Amino acid sequence: MRYFSCDCTSADGNPVALFFENTQCLSCQRQVGWCFEERDMLVFDQNKDGGFHYKGRDYVPCANRANGVCNAMIPADTISAKPALCFACHFNDNIPDLNVDGHAELWGNLERAKRRLLFTLDSLSLPMPDKQQSPEGLSFHFMADKDASDHFRTPLTHVAAVFTGHAQGDITINLAEADDVARHRMRVDMGEQYRTLLGHFRHEVGHFYWDLLIKPDEAKLTQFREIFGDPDLSYQEALDKHYARDPDDQSWRSEFISAYASMHPWEDWAETFAHYLHIIDTLETAREWDLIDFGKYAGLTLPQDDGPCDPQRLIDCWSEFSVKLNALNRSMGLPDAYPFVNNPVVVGKLKCVHSMLNKTR
Ligand SMILES: [Zn+2]
Ligand SMILES: [Zn+2]
Ligand SMILES: [Zn+2]
């Protein structure tokens, strides 16, 4: 994520940082918001009629800004339909029932993670067709279990609940994943070291890009088979085998980034794809906040930058930085931010994701 700041100065004379999620500058109190069209955080002057203006152009808040779930602002001269929805919100096919207490807050958590996902996909210049552009275009379905107690039952696999997943561009996320307590419980039940909303979005969109970029491309499919294995293996058999496995069996660690990745080549791809986004986004943040010296890595450039990116330097830089990141977390009494080991096999898979994505640019 890039570094953003307001044009005002704080009492101590320093620039005032704006987070990607902010709706207001906490120093000068002006309204701020993310603009997908301008690819920037904008700070607005508001006239007496309450309209939003930036550098002589009029802006309109995304309709979901009023719901407190979106901070996006849209150039007024680009709006063709009502209600005015931003680039992120226009992909929504199903949103939670807002008459239910607590749903608006959980939906807000989902939208914040989704905007970060779309920011990174855009910075990689990846195609993001919607359902108008293609029947297999992207859409989001945020669904709640009929019985909210479903996600507190174990084992989870035996519950007729909403499953987080991807099919033909439709990404479904169970609203319970946006609830910190429910998600923590699921993470423990599933024996996972890491489970976040952003991680879910990055994983599911990995399936979307497999369908969009790899499935129809014979050369890419051949490369995929060499690195990840046969995508035509029975998914149901793999799933059954995965849930029947001995949880103490750690043999996956020599070749996969997570136990789930070892289930099927599709899941290996989606997990690795998610990790690739974790790595490049966190390294961008580290660079933007002056936490890292890329000069040490022969002037490393990131895949989001113009110009070529050397994947080995990217991995070397991440190996050093992820340890520092974990050390910072431990100083705060928090679990490791990146509780994973990128062994040589996993690094080969990350490089494969890198080359597949860069070929599309
Ligand atoms: Zn300000
Ligand atoms: Zn929006
Ligand atoms: Zn998956």
Side-chain angles (χ1 to χ4, degrees):
M1 178 55 67
R2 282 161 41 206
Y3 171 88
F4 306 105
S5 62
C6 187
D7 55 9
C8 70
T9 38
S10 65
D12 56 11
N14 289 318
V16 177
L18 296 174
F19 287 111
F20 184 62
E21 292 78 13
N22 281 168
T23 54
Q24 193 175 25
C25 170
L26 296 180
S27 177
C28 69
Q29 311 301 322
R30 280 180 293 168
Q31 294 285 306
V32 305
W34 174 251
C35 178
F36 279 99
E37 292 77 6
E38 303 272 355
R39 295 190 167 91
D40 209 354
M41 286 293 288
L42 306 183
V43 182
F44 294 95
D45 298 314
Q46 280 184 281
N47 60 13
K48 286 194 196 91
D49 65 14
F52 293 84
H53 312 283
Y54 176 78
K55 291 190 175 167
R57 201 175 182 190
D58 292 341
Y59 288 78
V60 172
C62 170
N64 287 335
R65 192 167 158 124
N67 290 317
V69 303
C70 183
N71 74 340
M73 299 291 292
I74 313 163
D77 51 27
T78 65
I79 293 171
S80 55
K82 290 213 166 163
L85 291 172
C86 73
F87 181 70
C89 292
H90 102 282
F91 287 107
N92 287 348
D93 187 87
N94 193 83
I95 61 162
D97 178 358
L98 299 181
N99 293 317
V100 178
D101 270 359
H103 272 194
E105 196 188 329
L106 298 180
W107 181 30
N109 296 343
L110 286 163
E111 291 295 342
R112 277 184 284 280
K114 193 182 85 186
R115 276 197 305 286
R116 279 193 177 250
L117 168 79
L118 297 178
F119 169 89
T120 307
L121 300 179
D122 181 51
S123 71
L124 289 170
S125 306
L126 287 172
M128 287 180 264
D130 61 21
K131 285 280 186 248
Q132 259 85 54
Q133 292 159 310
S134 159
E136 304 215 331
L138 202 53
S139 75
F140 293 93
H141 305 250
F142 301 140
M143 316 275 286
D145 290 322
K146 276 203 189 71
D147 177 356
S149 65
D150 274 357
H151 45 259
F152 288 109
R153 283 195 214 126
T154 48
L156 280 162
T157 46
H158 294 167
V159 170
V162 170
F163 282 107
T164 292
H166 167 268
Q168 280 92 43
D170 299 349
I171 291 179
T172 301
I173 310 263
N174 187 328
L175 193 63
E177 293 287 351
D179 181 298
D180 290 341
V181 175
R183 191 179 59 255
H184 180 78
R185 170 77 189 271
M186 286 186 258
R187 185 178 71 71
V188 173
D189 283 351
M190 309 292 252
E192 296 170 346
Q193 297 150 293
Y194 174 97
R195 192 177 182 101
T196 66
L197 279 183
L198 189 51
H200 280 310
F201 279 106
R202 287 174 172 167
H203 174 106
E204 299 307 337
V205 92
H207 289 302
F208 170 72
Y209 282 113
W210 195 89
D211 281 0
L212 190 72
L213 306 175
I214 300 176
K215 191 168 71 175
D217 184 323
E218 209 42 63
K220 282 191 178 133
L221 263 180
T222 303
Q223 195 189 348
F224 179 88
R225 279 200 186 88
E226 279 164 19
I227 308 283
F228 288 91
D230 182 4
D232 299 326
L233 286 174
S234 159
Y235 190 83
Q236 191 55 50
E237 265 176 46
L239 190 71
D240 294 343
K241 231 166 91 186
H242 177 72
Y243 285 113
R245 82 187 207 288
D246 173 5
D248 293 329
D249 177 4
Q250 301 285 306
S251 57
W252 57 267
R253 287 186 185 276
S254 58
E255 284 183 55
F256 299 93
I257 193 69
S258 65
Y260 195 64
S262 70
M263 192 241 278
H264 188 279
W266 283 343
E267 297 306 342
D268 196 9
W269 163 266
E271 285 286 89
T272 311
F273 183 96
H275 274 256
Y276 183 75
L277 297 194
H278 293 338
I279 291 168
I280 64 164
D281 183 41
T282 307
L283 285 181
E284 182 180 52
T285 307
R287 178 180 65 182
E288 293 271 315
W289 290 79
D290 280 335
L291 299 174
I292 197 161
D293 174 15
F294 277 13
K296 207 175 144 184
Y297 297 95
L300 170 68
T301 53
L302 294 174
Q304 301 96 310
D305 303 333
D306 292 331
C309 164
D310 178 345
Q312 187 57 52
R313 279 185 213 148
L314 185 74
I315 298 297
D316 290 345
C317 184
W318 178 246
S319 299
E320 181 190 335
F321 187 72
S322 57
V323 175
K324 290 181 177 174
L325 184 63
N326 289 344
L328 287 171
N329 264 32
R330 288 178 187 215
S331 286
M332 282 300 296
L334 291 167
D336 286 349
Y338 193 73
F340 303 97
V341 179
N342 293 336
N343 62 49
V345 181
V346 170
V347 167
K349 292 172 183 174
L350 285 164
K351 285 180 179 174
C352 178
V353 171
H354 176 85
S355 85
M356 300 266 192
L357 298 190
N358 278 273
K359 275 180 202 157
T360 70
R361 303 174 76 186

